Amino acid sequence: MKEILYLEIPTPDRDGVRRWLQEDFQPGTGEKLLTPDGIRVLFSQNQGGERGRGEKGESQTSLTASTLPSPTEELSVFIWSVQRTTYLKVFRWVEKPVVRESQLLEHLTAGLRQQFPHQYPEPPTVDLSQQSIFEALAPAYPQTVKYFQKFPNGEYDLKRVYWWEQRWREGVRNPQKPRQVVFSGKERDRGRGGERERSSPNSTYDLIYVGGALGVIHAAVMAKLGYRVLLLERLPFGRMNREWNISRNEIQSLIDLGLFTPIEVESIIAREYKDGFHKFFDANNPPIAKAPVLHTPKVLNVALDAEHLLRLCGEKLKSADGEIWDETEFIRADVEPAQVTVQTKHLPTGSERQATGRLLVDAMGTASPIAWQLNGGRAFDSVCPTVGAVIDSGFEPGVWDSQYGDVLNTHGDISRGRQLIWELFPAAGEELTVYLFHYHQVNPTNPGSLLEMYEDFFTILPEYRRCDMEKLVWKKATFGYIPGHFSMGSSDRKVAVDRLIAIGDAASLQSPLVFTGFGSLVRNLPRLTELLDTALKHDLLSAGHLNQIRAYQSNVSVTWLFSKGMMVPTGKFIRPQEINAILNTFFGILSQQKEVVAETFIKDRVDWLTFNRLALEAAWKNPFLLVWILNFVNLKDVLRWGGAYLSFTLESLNSWLWWWVPYFSRRVQPWLEPRYPALWLWLLAISYALTDGLGRPQKSAQLSAMGRERQVAKCEGEFL
């Protein structure tokens, strides 16, 4: 028996597909016999030649369920469902093709594509003054509504899911004309509508952060250095719809910078794992694209209590005389030569507030209107719509061992134009945090839906890990859009204008392979802190100076072709197993390497030689790999990747030739910085580009001492 066709049919309606096969589809050759899961196409003597004769050489002229021909005379077509998607395979009983086989398969494929095209449903319009969010969404997303009602803050969180998806869709569909929220020069008077009453007097700060998840970590660091900091957060402070994992050596930077003590770091660790697994479904892959489990014991093996981390950062911020305005929405920013003025609205009361400061820091992530305005049509190239939940208990013993994390896992092939990927991270007690996401190419027709993903999550979770959904105790919903930007160089994305800079997901300079903006921020925290401290100390707050302060890594930008090979282009049908085949090829190569090689690759610290060696090994192992990847990219993408690879090569060469620059810069700092501060900022940025920018971080312990030396001077401040 030989498989001759495998299709993904992008619909959960398996019965509808079966009815179409059995009632509407006409093979055009042979005769159709119905089966419980599809059809069989049988061939007579004239159609199948000698294979059409029975054992005694008699011609078979009638076909019934009781008088079936030899297995050599038929094609078997059957369907099944998994991941809320229908799949179809066609098998032939012998090696030699039957008469008009290729025409039949083409006819079958064309009919299915016409009858069951890709669908990209949109959420309904919701008027919460007329109905609850549960009533509004129940017809379209029944499973989502059912299980969100079981969360402690389910109604609030589902409203936020809906709000975030609507905000994301608006940005994707209007990239050339994003909503303007940053004004400068003559623009400052636009849309103000005159002076308004304020609920409190104007305040003056050195730094105003918008976004309290990633924002509060950096804000607390800067406040401890002596700056007057204000943090704006749309949610009640300390609440977030995401959990974080990291490794020991990365979280060490929070200790080195003096933000936390070792004891405090231990208090925010919910669990530490022995090992993490990476395994992708390969039942339908050719032998060259099958792979064993990849073990990464030092990747994302530390689960953090994210809300405790935020609260602790908030306490640090307040103890350093910082302020937090929570449940406060950013409205607009007016940039003036000597300051930036931020307009906000307190959501519970509707009252408006304003604050002025030297620098505005955008940490709002993918929901940031500032990021969309700064970069217009290229705010983000890709995104990972991510949904999930913290499950307090309810899994049967033996379903999962909490000493291990499931870092990346697939249990099926492409599903309705997406390769769904699972993550599972145990936390404190019996808690399990489970995520479902996919890599997605930003497209106005198909922006990527959190609500569709949640409907998948609550339906197919038992397929991934055995459970009774009614017995699970739901603690918290976790969701968001994790962005990616395919950079060709260190300056092709705008992260700053005068007196405004973006960090974290809003800057979108990280790799979305495993790490989000949290991982990128923590890894680059010493770099961002020292550069920003230097800029503030010397009032170097113009766009030209601030755009040197970024977490760009050329070794990350060159890996974007890998993530591109996990995104099904909108409207295009790809062989269902193709993404799993690509993933298994790469991770199979990593599984054959030393543990440290896989760790550095996944942690975005791979060097030029290792990258090229792994790429050549993958191509040697699987010569079809490049052909498969080309199904996901076009000529423009290839040229862009060529530019990124050239940039990576040149910067690696520069790092080798100018290895002494970081050491030299520290030696000349005492003389250079007070005399030529702009030159010092440039030299410092270059030093970090030659080290951290290639995944080789400088030692950060010295920054804590440097911050303490500067704290007294900073408190005096040049700006009042």
Side-chain angles (χ1 to χ4, degrees), residues 259-549:
L259 178 60
F260 295 142
T261 66
I263 294 176
E264 288 172 330
V265 165
E266 293 301 320
S267 75
I268 64 175
I269 294 177
R271 187 180 289 274
E272 189 167 3
Y273 318 136
K274 288 182 178 180
D275 199 358
F277 307 138
H278 308 249
K279 180 61 185 135
F280 305 99
F281 185 70
D282 60 12
N284 296 305
N285 292 1
I288 58 173
K290 293 180 182 288
V293 174
L294 171 64
H295 295 264
T296 54
K298 296 181 182 178
V299 173
L300 298 179
N301 63 309
V302 175
L304 302 180
D305 183 338
E307 293 189 355
H308 180 48
L309 170 62
L310 295 186
R311 289 193 297 270
L312 192 56
C313 286
E315 292 170 7
K316 300 279 185 179
L317 174 61
K318 291 179 178 178
S319 67
D321 296 325
E323 295 182 38
I324 298 174
W325 295 357
D326 65 348
E327 296 186 90
T328 299
E329 186 167 38
F330 167 81
I331 303 299
R332 62 179 279 163
D334 296 289
V335 179
E336 302 171 30
Q339 65 180 23
V340 58
T341 301
V342 178
Q343 310 288 349
T344 71
K345 177 187 287 188
H346 186 237
L347 295 176
T349 63
S351 60
E352 296 182 358
R353 259 176 134 177
Q354 104 175 358
T356 58
R358 297 172 61 196
L359 182 67
L360 175 64
V361 181
D362 175 17
M364 287 186 282
T366 52
S368 169
I370 295 175
W372 287 102
Q373 180 181 334
L374 292 189
N375 290 278
R378 281 201 70 206
F380 308 106
D381 293 301
S382 66
V383 70
C384 289
T386 303
V387 302
V390 179
I391 301 169
D392 196 50
S393 61
F395 285 95
E396 293 294 330
V399 170
W400 191 258
D401 187 336
S402 293
Q403 298 181 87
Y404 301 93
D406 208 13
V407 183
L408 293 171
N409 180 286
T410 63
H411 80 280
D413 290 324
I414 292 173
S415 166
R416 306 201 313 281
R418 309 153 306 159
Q419 179 60 66
L420 300 179
I421 302 175
W422 294 93
E423 292 181 307
L424 183 153
F425 298 113
E430 296 182 36
E431 282 184 14
L432 293 177
T433 301
V434 185
Y435 297 103
L436 181 65
F437 70 95
H438 67 96
Y439 292 85
H440 185 66
Q441 185 175 337
V442 174
N443 186 287
T445 304
N446 177 24
S449 173
L450 295 179
L451 289 166
E452 278 294 313
M453 286 290 288
Y454 256 128
E455 196 69 8
D456 288 329
F457 177 83
F458 290 118
T459 303
I460 70 176
L461 178 59
E463 296 176 4
Y464 166 60
R465 293 296 169 209
R466 174 171 49 88
C467 64
D468 182 342
M469 295 289 286
E470 300 306 316
K471 293 182 179 180
L472 299 183
V473 179
W474 305 91
K475 182 178 180 180
K476 184 175 74 171
T478 56
F479 52 87
Y481 287 100
I482 301 173
H485 179 81
F486 300 150
S487 299
M488 291 177 59
S490 60
S491 59
D492 77 334
R493 179 172 176 82
K494 197 173 185 179
V495 298
V497 294
D498 292 349
R499 297 193 176 275
L500 187 155
I501 189 170
I503 63 171
D505 285 343
S508 188
L509 294 173
Q510 73 282 355
S511 163
L513 179 59
V514 173
F515 294 93
T516 63
F518 173 69
S520 176
L521 177 70
V522 172
R523 289 198 305 280
N524 287 281
L525 197 59
R527 177 186 188 181
L528 294 173
T529 299
E530 186 174 19
L531 288 169
L532 189 58
D533 178 38
T534 301
L536 284 164
K537 181 180 179 182
H538 301 291
D539 206 32
L540 301 174
L541 302 179
S542 67
H545 293 124
L546 292 175
N547 268 296
Q548 299 176 55
I549 305 172

